Structure formats: C-alpha cells, structure tokens
Amino acid sequence: MLSTLITITTLLALSNAQSWVPSGDLPVDFSLTFSAPEVVYDVCNRNFTQSARTISVATTGVAVTPGETANDPTAMTITGAAPGDMFTILMVDPDTSSAEVGTTEKPLLHMLITNITNADPSTGAVLNPYGGPMPPPCSGDHTYHYLLLRQAAALSLTVDDLPGFTPDCTNPGLIGRCLFEVANFISSNQLTPVGYVTMVAATDGYVRYGYVNDRGMSEADSCRGLDGYDPCPTAPPGSGSEKVMVSMSAFMASAWCLIFSVIFVLN
C-alpha cells in the first residue's frame, strides 16, 4: 500500500512540471557563453561589484547573475547536429512575479531564433532578440529555459505571428512575449526538442540599479529585502510564491482524490 501511495505521489509531482520541458537524454549538445565585464552598481546606499568572468551555460541549473548575462551571449554552440538540420532556439522564464506576465505553462518569452542552418545560430532569423534576466526584487530565483528545437522544414514565421501564441497576454508592452504558449508553438510548427539547458538568477545590484534608473521604480521598492530597507512581502498578489501555493494546493487536492480512489478500489 505504501509503495502504491509513493508511486502515485511521484507521478503527480511529475505531472505538475511544465509539459514543454524535455526529459531524458537529448541527441544534440547546446551551450551558451557570456562574457561579463567588471562593473560597479551604486544603488541602495551601497556598491554592488560585478567581477569580470566568462560563464558557460552547458547544462541545467547553472547559477548566474542578471548583470553577468545582461548582454547577448558571446557564443551559442550546437554540437552533434546532422547535415541539413534546421533549428529554432527558444528562451523563456516561467517564474515571473505576475501571473499576467508568465505562468508555468505559459512563460515569458525572452528570445526566439528560427531557421538556423549549419548548426550556426548566427544564420537564423531573430524574431525576438535576446532579453537578459531581470527578476524583480523579492521575486526569488528565476529559471531561464533554453530549448533547442529541430525543425521539420523551414518556418515562414515573422514577428507579426508571435501575438498568435500569446492570446491571453493583455500587457500592451509585452504582446507577443507574455503568456507565451510554448507547447502550442512547438506542436503547431512541428518542432522536436533536441537540446536543453537552463540558468538560474535572482535579483542583484544590476537589477536594482536598472529598476531605479531605467524603469522608474522607487529606491524603497527596488531595495526591499536589504538591510536598512523594508523586508520582502511574504506573498504579494500575483507573486511567484502565490502561484506556487495555488499550484501546490491543486496538486494536494488531486493527490488526495487519487489516493482515496485507490483505497476504495483496494477495499
């Protein structure tokens, strides 16, 4: 009985993951390289120093900072492709702080390149240029997913087609990006996931500086969570924490329903 319950719980947990995240060994190696300069950000009554370094994102869960990955990747490498293969590269963030911007199944689009030939991303059509991590203060860790997708044929997509994959997006500044239907995009364009990496980033000095100086956020709000400023809210409306709690509640409800069903059948 215990093993049955463990199996049920495991299956439910797996079903709660993003449907568009590939699993198992993938046939093509994909990696990105970032070259971060040394920068000092003066904000929140302190200096945030970003050291110069080169970052390679060649697997899942690579820890980075938004400042280090703010600029376009200096290299994107595809290894193991067959002759004639064409690819699409998709970058998304499902951990947005607002459910109106992104969710687990419909994340925020950060980059989209199609019709890549000769395993060379520079040959592709850039439909959405790279937009680096910018996780708002107090929004926790954000995982940025990069999917390498093999095309069945050349795609005729243009920038004007992107809003068709964001029908639920109501933010006028994010049309074609927010609530991006990844699963729909993959299936409707006959794409196959063949490579996958992720990087994880949280708020840093670059983000706080940018929100104050470029986005008009007050210093008090941008510096929340730091010594000398207000603490982060526990679960603000529409926050990632709130989305997690809603997801977990649904998961637990489903789990208990299935467990009681099994017990009923066994009896």
Side-chain angles (χ1 to χ4, degrees):
M1 181 64 184
L2 178 60
S3 62
T4 301
L5 295 182
I6 292 174
T7 300
I8 292 170
T9 304
T10 301
L11 290 173
L12 283 170
L14 289 174
S15 69
N16 202 44
Q18 295 97 331
S19 65
W20 43 266
V21 170
S23 61
D25 293 331
L26 299 176
V28 181
D29 291 329
F30 176 59
S31 65
L32 304 95
T33 302
F34 295 89
S35 295
E38 181 174 344
V39 185
V40 177
Y41 298 101
D42 183 5
V43 67
C44 304
N45 294 314
R46 66 203 73 193
N47 290 328
F48 293 89
T49 301
Q50 172 184 294
S51 301
R53 75 177 184 119
T54 299
I55 304 101
S56 175
V57 180
T59 184
T60 56
V62 178
V64 302
T65 68
E68 293 172 335
T69 52
N71 297 323
D72 289 1
T74 52
M76 290 189 284
T77 305
I78 299 171
T79 306
D85 276 350
M86 298 185 72
F87 297 102
T88 287
I89 295 174
L90 182 70
M91 174 191 177
V92 293
D93 172 17
D95 299 320
T96 63
S97 56
S98 170
E100 295 180 356
V101 174
T103 65
T104 298
E105 278 302 305
K106 300 176 183 180
L108 176 65
L109 178 66
H110 273 259
M111 180 175 67
L112 179 59
I113 305 173
T114 64
N115 294 333
I116 295 168
T117 59
N118 300 320
D120 180 1
S122 68
T123 65
V126 180
L127 302 190
N128 191 94
Y130 175 80
M134 201 70 176
C138 298
S139 65
D141 289 343
H142 287 228
T143 298
Y144 298 86
H145 301 248
Y146 295 89
L147 286 84
L148 180 67
L149 307 163
R150 181 185 288 131
Q151 300 177 194
L155 302 181
S156 59
L157 292 172
T158 68
V159 174
D160 293 335
D161 295 314
L162 296 187
F165 297 100
T166 62
D168 298 327
C169 179
T170 58
N171 187 318
L174 294 174
I175 298 299
R177 291 188 58 210
C178 68
L179 297 173
F180 190 83
E181 297 181 342
V182 177
N184 178 28
F185 178 81
I186 291 174
S187 62
S188 62
N189 289 292
Q190 297 181 298
L191 304 173
T192 303
V194 293
Y196 175 64
V197 298
T198 66
M199 63 187 193
V200 182
T203 304
D204 65 352
Y206 163 80
V207 168
R208 297 184 192 277
Y209 182 89
Y211 272 99
V212 170
N213 292 278
D214 301 326
R215 302 197 179 191
M217 181 181 284
S218 69
E219 183 175 290
D221 286 337
S222 180
C223 301
R224 274 180 176 268
L226 298 176
D227 290 341
Y229 294 89
D230 289 341
C232 290
T234 51
S239 69
S241 299
E242 185 182 71
K243 291 193 293 183
V244 169
M245 291 304 297
V246 170
S247 178
M248 285 302 296
S249 297
F251 162 72
M252 290 305 297
S254 299
W256 280 114
C257 287
L258 187 52
I259 288 170
F260 282 126
S261 298
V262 171
I263 292 174
F264 178 78
V265 170
L266 291 177
N267 288 334

